[in-house]
Amino acid sequence: MAVSRPVIVAGNWKMNSTPESAGSLATEIAAATEVSGVTRVLCPPFVCLVNVRDALVGTNVEVGAQNVHWEAAGAYTGEVSAGMLAGLATWAIIGHSERRRDQGEDDVQIGRKLVRCIEAGLRPILCVGEQLPEREVGRAEATVQGQLEETIAEVARLGAVLPNDLVIAYEPVWAIGTGRTARGSDAAAMAQHVRSTLAAAGISAERVPILYGGSVTSAAIDEFLAEPDIDGALVGGASLKVDEMAGIVARAGLTAAARQAA
Ligand code: PEP
């Protein structure tokens, strides 16, 4: 069956770049990745958002934040709310495993962040993924299902509905920044499980793009793009390298063209 979901490549720059360097990096990536049919998103650090936004004027590369707080405003020193991103970003990464690990974020907080994104009109990329021991004991799917169910339950508890433009990033934690990738077939099996979990919660899962993330490079991405259930990539380290982004988006463009032709 033909796949009509968009192909998306999002770059998560993590805690890299400066306001001085970010604009030119964004400009170079935008110029090197002009491929039709691929939605491109760059997610720089908060302090670089304005530079990246300005550098991308006149391109169709979109800007994302790497996080938002789970409250709309208040006494949360050092935090940034979804509403504060108006005019700066149109996407936000939510529930990245580095924040789950380093800031102890849980699925309830992540559900609240999703609601804040909905209120602020930010398109969320919700990250889920298992730790290596969970995969080794055969609990990878149960772990991801639990993350999704708890997050969705919190969204519902707050009286919100998941947005139509939700994007999921399946990122096995053991593959992030390690140089080790999942197998394409395992990522596809997980994507199918994610869609079953979403469908069981009443969501039109066939419309939800699912990205793979975890040590994606231009040399490693084909295995994932070959899977009809995978709709692109969330790229960390390689998204700081212009040549790598050029190669990744070029390959994603082939998938987008094949989908359009089907
Ligand atoms: C990420 O930051 O979401 C990520 C997948 O990082 P890396 O590509 O460096 O593994």
Side-chain angles (χ1 to χ4, degrees):
M1 197 172 62
V3 183
S4 60
R5 291 182 297 273
V7 177
I8 301 170
V9 175
N12 173 15
W13 289 1
K14 311 195 187 198
M15 198 172 70
N16 295 294
S17 77
T18 64
E20 205 181 356
S21 67
S24 51
L25 179 57
T27 302
E28 285 178 48
I29 291 174
T33 58
E34 273 183 39
V35 172
S36 100
V38 181
T39 301
R40 296 165 293 164
V41 187
L42 296 180
C43 303
F46 286 125
V47 295
C48 303
L49 281 171
V50 71
N51 310 81
V52 170
R53 178 203 63 186
D54 290 351
L56 294 177
V57 169
T59 75
N60 60 1
V61 181
E62 298 173 46
V63 183
Q66 296 175 14
N67 179 44
V68 298
H69 197 263
W70 59 83
E71 292 292 351
Y76 300 100
T77 303
E79 295 289 343
V80 174
S81 72
M84 291 173 185
L85 297 170
L88 290 172
T90 52
W91 293 66
I93 298 171
I94 298 297
H96 193 281
S97 67
E98 286 157 7
R99 294 198 61 84
R100 293 177 188 259
R101 178 196 68 199
D102 299 336
Q103 276 74 37
E105 288 182 5
D106 62 25
D107 296 310
V108 171
Q109 291 165 338
I110 291 162
R112 292 182 192 167
K113 287 167 182 255
L114 260 179
V115 174
R116 300 283 96 86
C117 285
I118 297 166
E119 292 165 351
L122 290 170
R123 186 169 189 181
I125 301 176
L126 169 62
C127 301
V128 292
E130 81 284 357
Q131 310 268 351
L132 189 55
E134 291 161 337
R135 177 156 288 276
E136 285 173 344
V137 298
R139 288 196 50 79
E141 292 188 348
T143 299
V144 168
Q145 180 176 335
Q147 290 170 340
L148 285 169
E149 286 175 346
E150 282 198 43
T151 301
I152 293 168
E154 183 61 12
V155 171
R157 201 186 65 73
L158 294 177
V161 284
L162 280 177
N164 285 334
D165 62 359
L166 175 70
V167 175
I168 304 280
Y170 166 55
E171 301 206 304
V173 177
W174 46 270
I176 296 180
T178 59
R180 180 177 173 190
T181 58
R183 280 201 299 251
S185 54
D186 286 342
M190 185 63 86
Q192 285 169 10
H193 194 71
V194 165
R195 287 208 174 86
S196 319
T197 306
L198 295 176
I203 295 152
S204 307
E206 284 310 312
R207 296 221 301 264
V208 176
I210 300 181
L211 314 182
Y212 168 77
S215 297
V216 167
T217 61
S218 57
I221 191 160
D222 286 343
E223 182 173 357
F224 302 99
L225 291 172
E227 299 288 345
D229 288 298
I230 304 285
D231 305 303
L234 177 54
V235 185
S239 72
L240 293 159
K241 298 177 187 155
V242 177
D243 289 354
E244 278 296 314
M245 280 299 270
I248 290 167
V249 176
R251 286 166 171 80
L254 299 177
T255 299
R259 285 186 180 190
Q260 272 156 19

Short mmCIF file of all heavy atoms in Angstrom, two decimals, residues 12 14 96 98 171 175-178 213-216 234-238, ligand 1:
data_model
loop_
_atom_site.label_atom_id
_atom_site.label_comp_id
_atom_site.label_asym_id
_atom_site.label_seq_id
_atom_site.Cartn_x
_atom_site.Cartn_y
_atom_site.Cartn_z
N ASN A 12 18.90 17.65 15.72
CA ASN A 12 18.96 18.08 17.12
C ASN A 12 20.40 18.46 17.42
O ASN A 12 21.26 17.59 17.56
CB ASN A 12 18.49 16.93 18.02
CG ASN A 12 18.69 17.23 19.49
OD1 ASN A 12 18.90 18.37 19.88
ND2 ASN A 12 18.61 16.18 20.31
N LYS A 14 21.58 19.68 20.05
CA LYS A 14 21.90 19.49 21.48
C LYS A 14 22.59 20.75 22.01
O LYS A 14 22.26 21.86 21.60
CB LYS A 14 22.74 18.23 21.68
CG LYS A 14 22.14 17.02 20.97
CD LYS A 14 22.73 15.73 21.43
CE LYS A 14 22.21 14.59 20.55
NZ LYS A 14 22.38 13.30 21.14
N HIS A 96 13.07 13.88 25.09
CA HIS A 96 14.34 13.31 24.63
C HIS A 96 14.98 12.49 25.76
O HIS A 96 14.94 12.89 26.93
CB HIS A 96 15.30 14.42 24.17
CG HIS A 96 16.46 13.89 23.40
ND1 HIS A 96 17.55 13.32 24.02
CD2 HIS A 96 16.70 13.81 22.07
CE1 HIS A 96 18.40 12.92 23.08
NE2 HIS A 96 17.91 13.21 21.90
N GLU A 98 17.94 12.15 26.70
CA GLU A 98 18.96 12.83 27.52
C GLU A 98 18.31 13.65 28.62
O GLU A 98 18.88 13.81 29.70
CB GLU A 98 19.86 13.69 26.60
CG GLU A 98 20.81 12.79 25.82
CD GLU A 98 21.36 13.39 24.53
OE1 GLU A 98 21.12 14.57 24.26
OE2 GLU A 98 22.01 12.63 23.78
N GLU A 171 13.73 6.32 19.45
CA GLU A 171 15.17 6.44 19.65
C GLU A 171 15.62 5.45 20.73
O GLU A 171 15.53 5.75 21.93
CB GLU A 171 15.52 7.86 20.12
CG GLU A 171 15.10 8.93 19.13
CD GLU A 171 15.96 10.19 19.27
OE1 GLU A 171 16.02 10.75 20.38
OE2 GLU A 171 16.57 10.57 18.28
N ALA A 175 21.40 3.51 21.34
CA ALA A 175 21.93 3.89 20.02
C ALA A 175 22.25 5.37 19.94
O ALA A 175 22.83 5.82 18.95
CB ALA A 175 20.91 3.51 18.93
N ILE A 176 21.88 6.15 20.95
CA ILE A 176 22.04 7.60 20.85
C ILE A 176 23.47 7.99 21.20
O ILE A 176 23.95 7.74 22.30
CB ILE A 176 21.04 8.33 21.78
CG1 ILE A 176 19.62 8.03 21.31
CG2 ILE A 176 21.30 9.84 21.78
CD1 ILE A 176 18.54 8.68 22.13
N GLY A 177 24.14 8.57 20.22
CA GLY A 177 25.50 9.08 20.43
C GLY A 177 26.53 7.99 20.63
O GLY A 177 27.65 8.27 21.06
N THR A 178 26.18 6.75 20.33
CA THR A 178 27.10 5.64 20.60
C THR A 178 27.78 5.13 19.33
O THR A 178 28.70 4.32 19.41
CB THR A 178 26.33 4.45 21.22
OG1 THR A 178 25.31 4.06 20.29
CG2 THR A 178 25.71 4.81 22.56
N GLY A 213 15.76 7.52 15.41
CA GLY A 213 16.90 8.30 15.89
C GLY A 213 17.86 7.41 16.65
O GLY A 213 17.46 6.52 17.41
N GLY A 214 19.16 7.66 16.46
CA GLY A 214 20.19 6.89 17.15
C GLY A 214 21.35 6.66 16.21
O GLY A 214 21.32 5.75 15.39
N SER A 215 22.35 7.58 16.31
CA SER A 215 23.58 7.44 15.51
C SER A 215 23.31 7.40 14.01
O SER A 215 24.01 6.69 13.26
CB SER A 215 24.39 6.22 15.97
OG SER A 215 24.81 6.40 17.31
N VAL A 216 22.30 8.14 13.55
CA VAL A 216 22.03 8.20 12.11
C VAL A 216 23.14 9.00 11.43
O VAL A 216 23.53 10.07 11.89
CB VAL A 216 20.66 8.87 11.84
CG1 VAL A 216 20.51 9.23 10.36
CG2 VAL A 216 19.53 7.95 12.28
N LEU A 234 15.47 11.55 13.25
CA LEU A 234 15.90 12.61 14.17
C LEU A 234 17.40 12.40 14.33
O LEU A 234 17.84 11.35 14.81
CB LEU A 234 15.17 12.50 15.51
CG LEU A 234 15.56 13.50 16.59
CD1 LEU A 234 15.45 14.95 16.11
CD2 LEU A 234 14.70 13.31 17.84
N VAL A 235 18.17 13.38 13.90
CA VAL A 235 19.62 13.23 13.79
C VAL A 235 20.29 14.11 14.84
O VAL A 235 19.99 15.30 14.93
CB VAL A 235 20.09 13.68 12.38
CG1 VAL A 235 21.58 13.42 12.19
CG2 VAL A 235 19.27 13.00 11.29
N GLY A 236 21.19 13.53 15.62
CA GLY A 236 21.91 14.31 16.62
C GLY A 236 23.25 14.77 16.10
O GLY A 236 23.37 15.74 15.35
N GLY A 237 24.31 14.06 16.47
CA GLY A 237 25.67 14.47 16.15
C GLY A 237 25.89 14.82 14.68
O GLY A 237 26.52 15.83 14.35
N ALA A 238 25.35 14.01 13.79
CA ALA A 238 25.59 14.24 12.35
C ALA A 238 24.88 15.49 11.84
O ALA A 238 25.22 15.99 10.76
CB ALA A 238 25.15 13.01 11.56
C1 PEP B 1 19.40 12.55 19.17
O1 PEP B 1 19.94 13.49 19.71
O2 PEP B 1 18.16 12.48 19.16
C2 PEP B 1 20.23 11.52 18.54
C3 PEP B 1 19.64 10.52 17.96
O3 PEP B 1 21.59 11.69 18.62
P1 PEP B 1 22.70 10.91 17.73
O4 PEP B 1 22.22 10.98 16.29
O5 PEP B 1 23.96 11.68 17.96
O6 PEP B 1 22.73 9.51 18.21
#
